[in-house]
Amino acid sequence: MDLPRERRRHVRSEVTWPVAIETPETIISGRIKDISSGGAFINCETKLSPGETFRMEIHSESQPTPLIGEVEVVRTSRQGMGVRFHPEREAESKRP
């Protein structure tokens, strides 16, 4: 039996990093389940619709300050949503 071919272009790493999703209306808390240079999957109860963009703040044990960037929702599921990083908008470290 042939297995389905992996369509992702970027290698994923499993993580459990807290993330804050900032929209004009609210802030949603979640956890990043896996991440790559192209995007991430976020476990969260409140999901946005595919095509929506938002500001994301990632808290990693290896990074002393949060990483901040703009992302776009590409898919949703019961567990959360897959997002794509906007390469034209570099992530930045939050300054005190």
Side-chain angles (χ1 to χ4, degrees):
M1 177 170 93
D2 289 332
L3 295 174
R5 192 178 75 154
E6 181 66 50
R7 295 185 319 182
R8 289 179 174 81
R9 289 185 276 168
H10 306 285
V11 176
R12 293 175 288 166
S13 297
E14 290 188 18
V15 296
T16 55
W17 295 338
V19 64
I21 298 164
E22 299 178 20
T23 71
E25 297 81 28
T26 189
I27 296 177
I28 302 166
S29 294
R31 292 193 86 67
I32 295 180
K33 177 184 171 207
D34 62 52
I35 191 166
S36 74
S37 61
F41 187 84
I42 303 169
N43 289 118
C44 56
E45 290 188 23
T46 304
K47 293 145 197 90
L48 303 176
S49 299
E52 286 190 73
T53 59
F54 59 88
R55 183 174 180 263
M56 181 169 77
E57 186 172 302
I58 302 171
H59 301 268
S60 160
E61 300 97 19
S62 64
Q63 190 75 12
T65 56
L67 294 174
I68 300 169
E70 296 289 322
V71 299
E72 177 184 357
V73 179
V74 293
R75 68 181 181 88
T76 61
S77 70
R78 289 186 204 149
Q79 293 81 28
M81 56 189 169
V83 299
R84 177 184 317 137
F85 300 134
H86 281 281
E88 68 275 7
R89 298 178 188 169
E90 281 187 33
E92 60 186 45
S93 290
K94 187 174 186 177
R95 290 171 180 79

